[in-house]
Amino acid sequence: MILLPARPQRVALTLLTVSLLPLAVGAQSDPEGIPVTHTAVVQNCVACHTQDSTGRMSRISYSRKTPEGWQNTIRRMVMLQNARLQPDVARDIVRYLADEHGLAPEEARPGMFEVERRMIDWEYEGDEDTQETCKVCHSLGRVILQRRTKDDWTSTIELHRGLYPVVEFQGFRRGGPSDEDDDDPRHPMDKAIAHLARAFPLETDEWRSWSATKRPARLAGMWAVSGSEMGKGPLYGTLTVQRGERDGDVTTALEYRYARDGNTVRRTGRATVYTGFQWRGRSFEGSDEATALREVMFVERDWQSMSGRWFRGDYDEIGLDVSLHRVRSDPVVLGVYPMAARTGQAHTVTVFGANLPQDIGADAIDLGPGVDVRRVTSRSPTAVTAQIQVAADAALGPRDVFIAGSNMERGLTVFDEVHRIAVEPRAGLARVGGIVFPKQLQQFQAVAFHNGPDEDPETDDDLRLGVVDVTWGLEEYTRTFDDNDIDYVGAIDRNGLFTPAADGPNPQRNQNRNNIGDVWVVATYAGDNAPATLRARAHLVVTVPLYLRWEPWKVTPR
Amino acid sequence: MKHLRPINQKASKIEATVSRPDHDVRAMQGGSPGPHIPLGCSFVFSPGWEVDSTGGTAGLCQPVERDLFDCYITCFWPAHVPDHYNYAPDWTAKCAAAQQDWRNIDLIFP
């Protein structure tokens, strides 16, 4: 509170510094820079970003980034710099800039986790100082998905200092004079600029060669989909792609089936493929907005396959990992469910695929030595179900699967017993919510393993046997005695979905703590395939909401 | 814990915990295998936003609402809390809604 009177002055000052920037940089004289040829960009931006005789515009011509990166910049132009744009013009501008001031596939691939919104633990190996200085507020993914001239990296750092003065103390500058023994007395931010200018320059061979060959991807046709969803297991299906109104736009019709529960999902959607390879789409079940899934995929340059993540949730936490392959008329095998079969037993297995022949018999399905295919009990172009018998003395390990001339490596694993289970993910994060902010959920699943030939758990030769049914529970994770987090944090359901408790101070807790805490998520497997009950657990942090989100669309500051 | 005998309740609890077979005690020991938090969390401004420096929630400013106004005013957490300098000068006044919120306009996904 006492801080308030001092602030407004500071605001005026910092905004002033920031708005002087483009003018200063307008005088850029280096030979680099991408000329702008798009009328809407020139018209809407030239008032503040001068254009030189070769068409280069200050700031705009000196960086390249993903569609998400351009969206972030354009939003800031509107929200802070007073650029006046209609959303559809802004969309067009983002598209032009993502296409022409974009990234090459090789440049985008290492940062896919960022645009796919995966919550992963990721280390930047390029430079430790840069990692330390730049990862504290946002993921380093945001940084590695940009290319800039040295001047432009410097301006970005200046932007941070202008917008967020405390960033100086938070790590951009050293606290005091440099240590005598320190052989590199520069401030952390100066080290970062030097590294970024070298590692992520505007001009690269990758971009030069991609610019020469880049074109709108032609993806129309049939695609086989295989994927998996945490807690629900594998899914298989097909995606039909049709050309949209504009080059690079498509419409889609999708059908897939979850192998475990047989549930079939039908969706229709649309997508734009930016820079010739960055698929950004959205699909719905029927016309129900609540079922929307956003799609982020990387289209390989041969246009034969693409992969990525489809996601939803207020924090993008629910998602499917997918990989798609173009199909023509040949049969294709995508997967076998269940993916593992125990020795000495009869099983019903389903082979999922595309273009599977309709006259297929048991003799056209080869699951390898020791696995006898007795008869086919149902067939469709996308799934064939068969009765099999695994010999008591069948060798353990994965088998290649052949069906009607098509194959899948390591499609079915033979095992004798389940040795252990593991909970995935091993570490989870949820956020309390539901009152003022949305909840961030965390889905877990339990996977069975055989220890493999070396008989040791958690080694490379372990056999993964697929997702199994378990009972779920929570246990206290001892950090502080008697904080009894499990009484407050929330609950896990029978499918492994953790739903956190409400946000806000809890008067029932010591010092009105929020309903946050650390707990173990415990899975117990009592299935027939293990000689005794098996247990495994994962660490779950239930923490506070984000009061501000940069990317998703629903959550606004209140 | 062989040479010490707990003489009060808390000490008994510590002993019971330390001798548990599942090696749950890890708070100060570091180097233990197992999950690594943060997964994209900020633990850096000791304590961080989501987790403290040990990767847990025990050391966070609590309740978070107590800290919020300060975060907003100093813009200490610009990626977590709206900041008063730039984007949300009237966040606390609850009258920002009149303007179209560009943060909610999706420019990429068709």
Side-chain angles (χ1 to χ4, degrees), chain A residues 267-300:
Chain A
R267 315 179 67 90
T268 52
R270 48 189 188 269
T272 296
V273 183
Y274 295 91
T275 342
F277 71 98
Q278 303 180 89
W279 174 295
R280 301 291 185 266
R282 194 194 297 272
S283 75
F284 304 92
E285 284 178 52
S287 54
D288 183 359
E289 289 277 331
T291 64
L293 277 179
R294 277 180 284 138
E295 305 165 343
V296 170
M297 293 196 285
F298 186 110
V299 179
E300 298 298 334

Short mmCIF file of all heavy atoms in Angstrom, two decimals, chain A residues 267-300:
data_model
loop_
_atom_site.label_atom_id
_atom_site.label_comp_id
_atom_site.label_asym_id
_atom_site.label_seq_id
_atom_site.Cartn_x
_atom_site.Cartn_y
_atom_site.Cartn_z
N ARG A 267 -15.36 -36.20 -34.89
CA ARG A 267 -15.15 -34.76 -34.78
C ARG A 267 -14.99 -34.16 -36.16
O ARG A 267 -14.54 -34.82 -37.09
CB ARG A 267 -13.88 -34.44 -33.97
CG ARG A 267 -13.70 -35.24 -32.70
CD ARG A 267 -12.41 -34.87 -31.98
NE ARG A 267 -12.43 -33.51 -31.48
CZ ARG A 267 -12.86 -33.14 -30.28
NH1 ARG A 267 -13.25 -34.04 -29.41
NH2 ARG A 267 -12.87 -31.88 -29.93
N THR A 268 -15.36 -32.88 -36.28
CA THR A 268 -15.04 -32.17 -37.51
C THR A 268 -14.27 -30.91 -37.12
O THR A 268 -14.42 -30.41 -36.01
CB THR A 268 -16.31 -31.74 -38.28
OG1 THR A 268 -17.16 -31.04 -37.37
CG2 THR A 268 -17.04 -32.94 -38.85
N GLY A 269 -13.47 -30.43 -38.04
CA GLY A 269 -12.66 -29.28 -37.67
C GLY A 269 -12.09 -28.55 -38.86
O GLY A 269 -12.45 -28.81 -40.01
N ARG A 270 -11.20 -27.61 -38.55
CA ARG A 270 -10.52 -26.84 -39.58
C ARG A 270 -9.13 -26.52 -39.05
O ARG A 270 -8.88 -26.56 -37.85
CB ARG A 270 -11.31 -25.58 -39.91
CG ARG A 270 -11.74 -24.81 -38.68
CD ARG A 270 -12.71 -23.68 -39.01
NE ARG A 270 -12.90 -22.89 -37.80
CZ ARG A 270 -13.86 -23.13 -36.91
NH1 ARG A 270 -14.74 -24.10 -37.09
NH2 ARG A 270 -13.96 -22.39 -35.81
N ALA A 271 -8.24 -26.24 -39.98
CA ALA A 271 -6.87 -25.96 -39.56
C ALA A 271 -6.21 -25.04 -40.56
O ALA A 271 -6.62 -24.96 -41.72
CB ALA A 271 -6.07 -27.26 -39.42
N THR A 272 -5.19 -24.35 -40.09
CA THR A 272 -4.32 -23.56 -40.97
C THR A 272 -2.92 -24.13 -40.80
O THR A 272 -2.51 -24.42 -39.67
CB THR A 272 -4.33 -22.08 -40.54
OG1 THR A 272 -5.65 -21.58 -40.73
CG2 THR A 272 -3.36 -21.25 -41.38
N VAL A 273 -2.23 -24.31 -41.92
CA VAL A 273 -0.86 -24.80 -41.83
C VAL A 273 0.07 -23.62 -42.12
O VAL A 273 0.15 -23.13 -43.25
CB VAL A 273 -0.61 -25.96 -42.81
CG1 VAL A 273 0.81 -26.49 -42.63
CG2 VAL A 273 -1.63 -27.07 -42.58
N TYR A 274 0.71 -23.12 -41.07
CA TYR A 274 1.57 -21.94 -41.19
C TYR A 274 2.96 -22.35 -41.67
O TYR A 274 3.46 -23.42 -41.32
CB TYR A 274 1.71 -21.25 -39.82
CG TYR A 274 0.42 -20.67 -39.29
CD1 TYR A 274 -0.43 -21.41 -38.47
CD2 TYR A 274 0.04 -19.36 -39.61
CE1 TYR A 274 -1.61 -20.87 -37.97
CE2 TYR A 274 -1.14 -18.81 -39.12
CZ TYR A 274 -1.95 -19.57 -38.31
OH TYR A 274 -3.12 -19.04 -37.81
N THR A 275 3.59 -21.47 -42.41
CA THR A 275 5.00 -21.64 -42.85
C THR A 275 5.23 -22.98 -43.55
O THR A 275 6.34 -23.50 -43.55
CB THR A 275 5.98 -21.52 -41.63
OG1 THR A 275 5.32 -20.89 -40.54
CG2 THR A 275 7.21 -20.71 -42.01
N GLY A 276 4.14 -23.58 -44.07
CA GLY A 276 4.29 -24.84 -44.79
C GLY A 276 4.37 -26.07 -43.92
O GLY A 276 4.37 -27.19 -44.44
N PHE A 277 4.42 -25.92 -42.57
CA PHE A 277 4.53 -27.14 -41.75
C PHE A 277 3.92 -27.04 -40.35
O PHE A 277 3.85 -28.04 -39.65
CB PHE A 277 6.01 -27.55 -41.62
CG PHE A 277 6.82 -26.62 -40.74
CD1 PHE A 277 7.06 -26.95 -39.42
CD2 PHE A 277 7.31 -25.43 -41.23
CE1 PHE A 277 7.79 -26.10 -38.59
CE2 PHE A 277 8.04 -24.57 -40.43
CZ PHE A 277 8.29 -24.90 -39.11
N GLN A 278 3.47 -25.86 -39.96
CA GLN A 278 2.97 -25.74 -38.58
C GLN A 278 1.45 -25.79 -38.56
O GLN A 278 0.79 -24.78 -38.80
CB GLN A 278 3.47 -24.44 -37.94
CG GLN A 278 4.98 -24.32 -37.95
CD GLN A 278 5.48 -23.03 -37.32
OE1 GLN A 278 5.71 -22.96 -36.12
NE2 GLN A 278 5.64 -21.99 -38.12
N TRP A 279 0.90 -26.97 -38.28
CA TRP A 279 -0.54 -27.19 -38.26
C TRP A 279 -1.13 -26.61 -36.98
O TRP A 279 -0.69 -26.95 -35.88
CB TRP A 279 -0.80 -28.69 -38.33
CG TRP A 279 -2.23 -29.15 -38.20
CD1 TRP A 279 -3.03 -29.04 -37.11
CD2 TRP A 279 -3.01 -29.82 -39.20
NE1 TRP A 279 -4.26 -29.60 -37.36
CE2 TRP A 279 -4.27 -30.09 -38.63
CE3 TRP A 279 -2.75 -30.23 -40.51
CZ2 TRP A 279 -5.28 -30.76 -39.33
CZ3 TRP A 279 -3.76 -30.90 -41.20
CH2 TRP A 279 -5.01 -31.15 -40.61
N ARG A 280 -2.11 -25.72 -37.12
CA ARG A 280 -2.84 -25.22 -35.96
C ARG A 280 -4.31 -25.39 -36.29
O ARG A 280 -4.81 -24.76 -37.24
CB ARG A 280 -2.55 -23.73 -35.70
CG ARG A 280 -1.08 -23.40 -35.45
CD ARG A 280 -0.56 -23.95 -34.13
NE ARG A 280 0.80 -23.52 -33.87
CZ ARG A 280 1.89 -24.22 -34.20
NH1 ARG A 280 1.79 -25.38 -34.80
NH2 ARG A 280 3.09 -23.75 -33.91
N GLY A 281 -5.00 -26.24 -35.55
CA GLY A 281 -6.38 -26.54 -35.88
C GLY A 281 -7.27 -26.57 -34.66
O GLY A 281 -6.82 -26.39 -33.52
N ARG A 282 -8.55 -26.78 -34.95
CA ARG A 282 -9.52 -26.86 -33.86
C ARG A 282 -10.62 -27.81 -34.33
O ARG A 282 -11.06 -27.72 -35.47
CB ARG A 282 -10.09 -25.48 -33.59
CG ARG A 282 -10.85 -25.33 -32.30
CD ARG A 282 -11.65 -24.05 -32.28
NE ARG A 282 -10.82 -22.84 -32.35
CZ ARG A 282 -10.32 -22.23 -31.27
NH1 ARG A 282 -10.55 -22.67 -30.08
NH2 ARG A 282 -9.59 -21.15 -31.42
N SER A 283 -11.03 -28.72 -33.46
CA SER A 283 -12.09 -29.65 -33.87
C SER A 283 -13.12 -29.79 -32.77
O SER A 283 -12.85 -29.50 -31.60
CB SER A 283 -11.49 -31.01 -34.23
OG SER A 283 -11.13 -31.71 -33.07
N PHE A 284 -14.32 -30.21 -33.18
CA PHE A 284 -15.47 -30.31 -32.27
C PHE A 284 -16.20 -31.62 -32.50
O PHE A 284 -16.22 -32.14 -33.60
CB PHE A 284 -16.48 -29.20 -32.56
CG PHE A 284 -15.92 -27.82 -32.50
CD1 PHE A 284 -15.42 -27.22 -33.65
CD2 PHE A 284 -15.89 -27.13 -31.30
CE1 PHE A 284 -14.89 -25.95 -33.60
CE2 PHE A 284 -15.36 -25.85 -31.25
CZ PHE A 284 -14.87 -25.25 -32.40
N GLU A 285 -16.86 -32.10 -31.42
CA GLU A 285 -17.83 -33.18 -31.60
C GLU A 285 -19.15 -32.50 -31.91
O GLU A 285 -19.66 -31.74 -31.09
CB GLU A 285 -17.98 -34.00 -30.31
CG GLU A 285 -16.82 -34.94 -30.08
CD GLU A 285 -16.96 -35.70 -28.76
OE1 GLU A 285 -18.03 -36.30 -28.53
OE2 GLU A 285 -16.01 -35.67 -27.97
N GLY A 286 -19.70 -32.76 -33.11
CA GLY A 286 -20.90 -32.05 -33.52
C GLY A 286 -20.62 -30.57 -33.53
O GLY A 286 -19.59 -30.11 -34.00
N SER A 287 -21.55 -29.78 -32.93
CA SER A 287 -21.29 -28.35 -32.91
C SER A 287 -21.10 -27.87 -31.47
O SER A 287 -21.26 -26.71 -31.16
CB SER A 287 -22.46 -27.61 -33.56
OG SER A 287 -23.65 -28.01 -32.92
N ASP A 288 -20.75 -28.81 -30.60
CA ASP A 288 -20.64 -28.49 -29.19
C ASP A 288 -19.30 -27.82 -28.87
O ASP A 288 -18.25 -28.45 -28.85
CB ASP A 288 -20.78 -29.80 -28.40
CG ASP A 288 -20.75 -29.56 -26.89
OD1 ASP A 288 -20.60 -28.39 -26.48
OD2 ASP A 288 -20.87 -30.54 -26.15
N GLU A 289 -19.34 -26.52 -28.62
CA GLU A 289 -18.13 -25.74 -28.34
C GLU A 289 -17.34 -26.31 -27.16
O GLU A 289 -16.12 -26.20 -27.11
CB GLU A 289 -18.50 -24.28 -28.00
CG GLU A 289 -18.99 -23.47 -29.19
CD GLU A 289 -17.85 -22.90 -30.02
OE1 GLU A 289 -16.78 -22.64 -29.44
OE2 GLU A 289 -18.03 -22.73 -31.24
N ALA A 290 -18.06 -26.92 -26.21
CA ALA A 290 -17.39 -27.41 -25.01
C ALA A 290 -16.46 -28.58 -25.32
O ALA A 290 -15.63 -28.94 -24.49
CB ALA A 290 -18.43 -27.82 -23.97
N THR A 291 -16.61 -29.18 -26.51
CA THR A 291 -15.75 -30.32 -26.83
C THR A 291 -14.52 -29.91 -27.63
O THR A 291 -13.78 -30.75 -28.12
CB THR A 291 -16.52 -31.36 -27.67
OG1 THR A 291 -16.87 -30.74 -28.93
CG2 THR A 291 -17.77 -31.85 -26.98
N ALA A 292 -14.33 -28.60 -27.79
CA ALA A 292 -13.23 -28.13 -28.65
C ALA A 292 -11.88 -28.69 -28.20
O ALA A 292 -11.56 -28.72 -27.02
CB ALA A 292 -13.18 -26.61 -28.63
N LEU A 293 -11.13 -29.15 -29.18
CA LEU A 293 -9.73 -29.54 -28.95
C LEU A 293 -8.89 -28.69 -29.87
O LEU A 293 -9.20 -28.58 -31.06
CB LEU A 293 -9.50 -30.99 -29.36
CG LEU A 293 -9.83 -32.13 -28.42
CD1 LEU A 293 -9.51 -33.46 -29.09
CD2 LEU A 293 -9.03 -32.01 -27.13
N ARG A 294 -7.86 -28.06 -29.34
CA ARG A 294 -6.94 -27.37 -30.23
C ARG A 294 -5.86 -28.34 -30.68
O ARG A 294 -5.45 -29.21 -29.91
CB ARG A 294 -6.36 -26.14 -29.54
CG ARG A 294 -7.34 -24.98 -29.66
CD ARG A 294 -6.85 -23.73 -29.00
NE ARG A 294 -6.99 -23.85 -27.58
CZ ARG A 294 -6.06 -23.45 -26.72
NH1 ARG A 294 -4.95 -22.93 -27.16
NH2 ARG A 294 -6.27 -23.58 -25.44
N GLU A 295 -5.45 -28.22 -31.94
CA GLU A 295 -4.51 -29.17 -32.52
C GLU A 295 -3.22 -28.45 -32.90
O GLU A 295 -3.25 -27.46 -33.63
CB GLU A 295 -5.09 -29.78 -33.79
CG GLU A 295 -6.45 -30.42 -33.61
CD GLU A 295 -7.17 -30.70 -34.93
OE1 GLU A 295 -6.79 -30.13 -35.97
OE2 GLU A 295 -8.12 -31.50 -34.90
N VAL A 296 -2.11 -28.95 -32.41
CA VAL A 296 -0.80 -28.43 -32.83
C VAL A 296 -0.02 -29.61 -33.38
O VAL A 296 0.21 -30.59 -32.67
CB VAL A 296 -0.04 -27.81 -31.64
CG1 VAL A 296 1.41 -27.50 -32.03
CG2 VAL A 296 -0.73 -26.54 -31.17
N MET A 297 0.33 -29.54 -34.66
CA MET A 297 1.09 -30.64 -35.25
C MET A 297 2.22 -30.10 -36.11
O MET A 297 2.15 -29.01 -36.66
CB MET A 297 0.19 -31.56 -36.05
CG MET A 297 -0.81 -32.31 -35.18
SD MET A 297 -1.57 -33.71 -36.00
CE MET A 297 -2.72 -32.89 -37.10
N PHE A 298 3.23 -30.92 -36.23
CA PHE A 298 4.41 -30.63 -37.05
C PHE A 298 4.27 -31.51 -38.29
O PHE A 298 4.26 -32.73 -38.20
CB PHE A 298 5.64 -31.02 -36.25
CG PHE A 298 6.95 -30.67 -36.87
CD1 PHE A 298 7.74 -29.66 -36.32
CD2 PHE A 298 7.43 -31.35 -37.98
CE1 PHE A 298 8.98 -29.34 -36.88
CE2 PHE A 298 8.66 -31.04 -38.54
CZ PHE A 298 9.44 -30.03 -37.99
N VAL A 299 4.13 -30.87 -39.46
CA VAL A 299 3.97 -31.64 -40.70
C VAL A 299 5.37 -31.89 -41.27
O VAL A 299 6.14 -30.94 -41.48
CB VAL A 299 3.13 -30.85 -41.73
CG1 VAL A 299 2.99 -31.63 -43.03
CG2 VAL A 299 1.76 -30.50 -41.15
N GLU A 300 5.71 -33.15 -41.46
CA GLU A 300 7.04 -33.46 -42.01
C GLU A 300 7.12 -32.96 -43.44
O GLU A 300 6.11 -32.88 -44.15
CB GLU A 300 7.30 -34.97 -41.93
CG GLU A 300 7.31 -35.52 -40.51
CD GLU A 300 8.41 -34.93 -39.62
OE1 GLU A 300 9.45 -34.49 -40.15
OE2 GLU A 300 8.21 -34.90 -38.39
#
